[in-house]
Amino acid sequence: MHGERAVIAGSGLSEAEWEVLVREFEQSGVKRKTFCEARGVAVSRFDYYRYRYRRLKQRAAAPATQLAPVELVSAASSGGGMRVELANGRRIFVE
């Protein structure tokens, strides 16, 4: 048949299958629309999973958040407020 293409039931794909498609696309060098048409998936749905996959990669590459040591400079006054001064010069006041 002329113009025949492989069709993937986009709504039935698992997270892992979408991840495989996104990786294939990234390595293909093909335009997004062409890639999606060839696989029978909607561009908008593909974009959703592509965004999710990218965010997962960013989170995995980001360093873990660490707690910083805190030094008590002076005891709280009778007012019950609190002032925090950060190393970058920012200040937080709580009354």
Side-chain angles (χ1 to χ4, degrees):
M1 238 189 206
H2 183 61
E4 193 172 328
R5 61 187 164 129
V7 176
I8 297 173
S11 60
L13 294 178
S14 69
E15 294 279 330
E17 291 169 320
W18 277 108
E19 187 176 324
V20 168
L21 275 181
V22 170
R23 281 195 213 150
E24 285 177 5
F25 166 72
E26 289 175 349
Q27 296 172 358
S28 71
V30 177
K31 292 190 181 226
R32 195 174 87 250
K33 184 177 177 184
T34 305
F35 182 86
C36 291
E37 285 176 352
R39 283 157 181 80
V41 296
V43 173
S44 59
R45 189 160 180 91
F46 178 77
D47 285 346
Y48 169 79
Y49 283 98
R50 187 171 167 223
Y51 170 79
R52 284 183 60 170
Y53 178 65
R54 228 181 296 148
R55 295 284 297 168
L56 287 173
K57 281 186 2 184
Q58 288 173 350
R59 285 184 189 153
T65 303
Q66 296 180 353
L67 297 176
V70 176
E71 179 184 340
L72 181 60
V73 177
S74 64
S77 65
S78 61
M82 179 175 70
R83 179 177 74 189
V84 177
E85 294 185 23
L86 304 175
N88 64 5
R90 294 185 185 209
R91 297 180 181 143
I92 302 169
F93 298 99
V94 179
E95 292 189 36

PDB file of all heavy atoms in Angstrom, residues 21-36:
ATOM      1  N   LEU A  21       9.772   6.063  23.122  1.00  0.00           N
ATOM      2  CA  LEU A  21       9.461   6.894  21.946  1.00  0.00           C
ATOM      3  C   LEU A  21      10.199   8.228  21.997  1.00  0.00           C
ATOM      4  O   LEU A  21      10.734   8.681  20.982  1.00  0.00           O
ATOM      5  CB  LEU A  21       7.952   7.160  21.863  1.00  0.00           C
ATOM      6  CG  LEU A  21       7.095   6.121  21.178  1.00  0.00           C
ATOM      7  CD1 LEU A  21       5.634   6.561  21.177  1.00  0.00           C
ATOM      8  CD2 LEU A  21       7.557   5.876  19.755  1.00  0.00           C
ATOM      9  N   VAL A  22      10.222   8.845  23.169  1.00  0.00           N
ATOM     10  CA  VAL A  22      10.896  10.142  23.306  1.00  0.00           C
ATOM     11  C   VAL A  22      12.383   9.978  23.027  1.00  0.00           C
ATOM     12  O   VAL A  22      12.973  10.785  22.307  1.00  0.00           O
ATOM     13  CB  VAL A  22      10.658  10.745  24.710  1.00  0.00           C
ATOM     14  CG1 VAL A  22      11.545  11.953  24.946  1.00  0.00           C
ATOM     15  CG2 VAL A  22       9.193  11.118  24.880  1.00  0.00           C
ATOM     16  N   ARG A  23      12.987   8.935  23.564  1.00  0.00           N
ATOM     17  CA  ARG A  23      14.419   8.693  23.297  1.00  0.00           C
ATOM     18  C   ARG A  23      14.664   8.452  21.806  1.00  0.00           C
ATOM     19  O   ARG A  23      15.635   8.960  21.247  1.00  0.00           O
ATOM     20  CB  ARG A  23      14.906   7.486  24.094  1.00  0.00           C
ATOM     21  CG  ARG A  23      15.183   7.808  25.527  1.00  0.00           C
ATOM     22  CD  ARG A  23      15.984   6.696  26.145  1.00  0.00           C
ATOM     23  NE  ARG A  23      15.622   6.545  27.536  1.00  0.00           N
ATOM     24  CZ  ARG A  23      15.666   5.421  28.202  1.00  0.00           C
ATOM     25  NH1 ARG A  23      16.045   4.310  27.618  1.00  0.00           N
ATOM     26  NH2 ARG A  23      15.347   5.372  29.467  1.00  0.00           N
ATOM     27  N   GLU A  24      13.792   7.659  21.180  1.00  0.00           N
ATOM     28  CA  GLU A  24      13.932   7.402  19.737  1.00  0.00           C
ATOM     29  C   GLU A  24      13.858   8.711  18.966  1.00  0.00           C
ATOM     30  O   GLU A  24      14.629   8.938  18.033  1.00  0.00           O
ATOM     31  CB  GLU A  24      12.839   6.456  19.255  1.00  0.00           C
ATOM     32  CG  GLU A  24      13.034   5.017  19.653  1.00  0.00           C
ATOM     33  CD  GLU A  24      11.876   4.130  19.202  1.00  0.00           C
ATOM     34  OE1 GLU A  24      10.965   4.611  18.492  1.00  0.00           O
ATOM     35  OE2 GLU A  24      11.891   2.951  19.576  1.00  0.00           O
ATOM     36  N   PHE A  25      12.911   9.566  19.346  1.00  0.00           N
ATOM     37  CA  PHE A  25      12.775  10.851  18.662  1.00  0.00           C
ATOM     38  C   PHE A  25      14.036  11.690  18.819  1.00  0.00           C
ATOM     39  O   PHE A  25      14.532  12.260  17.846  1.00  0.00           O
ATOM     40  CB  PHE A  25      11.569  11.623  19.200  1.00  0.00           C
ATOM     41  CG  PHE A  25      11.565  13.062  18.779  1.00  0.00           C
ATOM     42  CD1 PHE A  25      11.280  13.407  17.467  1.00  0.00           C
ATOM     43  CD2 PHE A  25      11.879  14.075  19.673  1.00  0.00           C
ATOM     44  CE1 PHE A  25      11.302  14.734  17.058  1.00  0.00           C
ATOM     45  CE2 PHE A  25      11.903  15.400  19.279  1.00  0.00           C
ATOM     46  CZ  PHE A  25      11.606  15.728  17.970  1.00  0.00           C
ATOM     47  N   GLU A  26      14.560  11.771  20.050  1.00  0.00           N
ATOM     48  CA  GLU A  26      15.742  12.584  20.307  1.00  0.00           C
ATOM     49  C   GLU A  26      16.944  12.127  19.495  1.00  0.00           C
ATOM     50  O   GLU A  26      17.796  12.922  19.136  1.00  0.00           O
ATOM     51  CB  GLU A  26      16.069  12.580  21.802  1.00  0.00           C
ATOM     52  CG  GLU A  26      15.062  13.374  22.614  1.00  0.00           C
ATOM     53  CD  GLU A  26      15.301  13.285  24.109  1.00  0.00           C
ATOM     54  OE1 GLU A  26      16.111  12.443  24.559  1.00  0.00           O
ATOM     55  OE2 GLU A  26      14.667  14.061  24.844  1.00  0.00           O
ATOM     56  N   GLN A  27      17.011  10.854  19.188  1.00  0.00           N
ATOM     57  CA  GLN A  27      18.137  10.311  18.425  1.00  0.00           C
ATOM     58  C   GLN A  27      17.872  10.284  16.923  1.00  0.00           C
ATOM     59  O   GLN A  27      18.791  10.067  16.143  1.00  0.00           O
ATOM     60  CB  GLN A  27      18.463   8.899  18.913  1.00  0.00           C
ATOM     61  CG  GLN A  27      18.932   8.873  20.354  1.00  0.00           C
ATOM     62  CD  GLN A  27      19.077   7.463  20.909  1.00  0.00           C
ATOM     63  OE1 GLN A  27      18.785   6.485  20.228  1.00  0.00           O
ATOM     64  NE2 GLN A  27      19.519   7.355  22.144  1.00  0.00           N
ATOM     65  N   SER A  28      16.618  10.519  16.531  1.00  0.00           N
ATOM     66  CA  SER A  28      16.246  10.348  15.120  1.00  0.00           C
ATOM     67  C   SER A  28      16.680  11.492  14.212  1.00  0.00           C
ATOM     68  O   SER A  28      16.973  11.267  13.040  1.00  0.00           O
ATOM     69  CB  SER A  28      14.725  10.183  15.002  1.00  0.00           C
ATOM     70  OG  SER A  28      14.061  11.409  15.269  1.00  0.00           O
ATOM     71  N   GLY A  29      16.671  12.725  14.717  1.00  0.00           N
ATOM     72  CA  GLY A  29      16.972  13.869  13.868  1.00  0.00           C
ATOM     73  C   GLY A  29      15.812  14.247  12.957  1.00  0.00           C
ATOM     74  O   GLY A  29      15.940  15.121  12.105  1.00  0.00           O
ATOM     75  N   VAL A  30      14.666  13.603  13.151  1.00  0.00           N
ATOM     76  CA  VAL A  30      13.466  13.854  12.344  1.00  0.00           C
ATOM     77  C   VAL A  30      12.641  14.939  13.017  1.00  0.00           C
ATOM     78  O   VAL A  30      12.674  15.096  14.233  1.00  0.00           O
ATOM     79  CB  VAL A  30      12.630  12.547  12.229  1.00  0.00           C
ATOM     80  CG1 VAL A  30      11.342  12.760  11.459  1.00  0.00           C
ATOM     81  CG2 VAL A  30      13.453  11.450  11.605  1.00  0.00           C
ATOM     82  N   LYS A  31      11.882  15.688  12.232  1.00  0.00           N
ATOM     83  CA  LYS A  31      10.995  16.698  12.803  1.00  0.00           C
ATOM     84  C   LYS A  31       9.924  16.018  13.638  1.00  0.00           C
ATOM     85  O   LYS A  31       9.485  14.915  13.342  1.00  0.00           O
ATOM     86  CB  LYS A  31      10.349  17.538  11.704  1.00  0.00           C
ATOM     87  CG  LYS A  31      11.350  18.418  10.993  1.00  0.00           C
ATOM     88  CD  LYS A  31      10.650  19.396  10.097  1.00  0.00           C
ATOM     89  CE  LYS A  31      11.708  20.233   9.410  1.00  0.00           C
ATOM     90  NZ  LYS A  31      11.397  21.626   9.436  1.00  0.00           N
ATOM     91  N   ARG A  32       9.507  16.709  14.691  1.00  0.00           N
ATOM     92  CA  ARG A  32       8.545  16.166  15.643  1.00  0.00           C
ATOM     93  C   ARG A  32       7.250  15.715  14.976  1.00  0.00           C
ATOM     94  O   ARG A  32       6.755  14.608  15.226  1.00  0.00           O
ATOM     95  CB  ARG A  32       8.262  17.228  16.712  1.00  0.00           C
ATOM     96  CG  ARG A  32       7.584  16.737  17.928  1.00  0.00           C
ATOM     97  CD  ARG A  32       7.500  17.848  18.976  1.00  0.00           C
ATOM     98  NE  ARG A  32       6.301  18.646  18.765  1.00  0.00           N
ATOM     99  CZ  ARG A  32       6.271  19.904  18.332  1.00  0.00           C
ATOM    100  NH1 ARG A  32       7.361  20.562  18.089  1.00  0.00           N
ATOM    101  NH2 ARG A  32       5.142  20.536  18.159  1.00  0.00           N
ATOM    102  N   LYS A  33       6.704  16.538  14.125  1.00  0.00           N
ATOM    103  CA  LYS A  33       5.439  16.210  13.462  1.00  0.00           C
ATOM    104  C   LYS A  33       5.590  14.963  12.591  1.00  0.00           C
ATOM    105  O   LYS A  33       4.737  14.069  12.613  1.00  0.00           O
ATOM    106  CB  LYS A  33       4.958  17.393  12.626  1.00  0.00           C
ATOM    107  CG  LYS A  33       3.617  17.158  11.981  1.00  0.00           C
ATOM    108  CD  LYS A  33       3.154  18.374  11.216  1.00  0.00           C
ATOM    109  CE  LYS A  33       1.833  18.074  10.530  1.00  0.00           C
ATOM    110  NZ  LYS A  33       1.378  19.170   9.693  1.00  0.00           N
ATOM    111  N   THR A  34       6.672  14.883  11.863  1.00  0.00           N
ATOM    112  CA  THR A  34       6.933  13.728  11.000  1.00  0.00           C
ATOM    113  C   THR A  34       7.077  12.459  11.843  1.00  0.00           C
ATOM    114  O   THR A  34       6.530  11.409  11.501  1.00  0.00           O
ATOM    115  CB  THR A  34       8.215  13.952  10.175  1.00  0.00           C
ATOM    116  OG1 THR A  34       8.082  15.172   9.451  1.00  0.00           O
ATOM    117  CG2 THR A  34       8.483  12.812   9.231  1.00  0.00           C
ATOM    118  N   PHE A  35       7.810  12.559  12.939  1.00  0.00           N
ATOM    119  CA  PHE A  35       8.017  11.420  13.832  1.00  0.00           C
ATOM    120  C   PHE A  35       6.678  10.916  14.385  1.00  0.00           C
ATOM    121  O   PHE A  35       6.407   9.720  14.380  1.00  0.00           O
ATOM    122  CB  PHE A  35       8.944  11.825  14.980  1.00  0.00           C
ATOM    123  CG  PHE A  35       9.260  10.723  15.939  1.00  0.00           C
ATOM    124  CD1 PHE A  35      10.311   9.847  15.693  1.00  0.00           C
ATOM    125  CD2 PHE A  35       8.512  10.553  17.098  1.00  0.00           C
ATOM    126  CE1 PHE A  35      10.605   8.824  16.580  1.00  0.00           C
ATOM    127  CE2 PHE A  35       8.802   9.542  17.994  1.00  0.00           C
ATOM    128  CZ  PHE A  35       9.845   8.667  17.733  1.00  0.00           C
ATOM    129  N   CYS A  36       5.850  11.839  14.842  1.00  0.00           N
ATOM    130  CA  CYS A  36       4.557  11.463  15.420  1.00  0.00           C
ATOM    131  C   CYS A  36       3.622  10.854  14.381  1.00  0.00           C
ATOM    132  O   CYS A  36       2.936   9.864  14.654  1.00  0.00           O
ATOM    133  CB  CYS A  36       3.897  12.673  16.077  1.00  0.00           C
ATOM    134  SG  CYS A  36       4.757  13.208  17.571  1.00  0.00           S
TER     135      CYS A  36
END
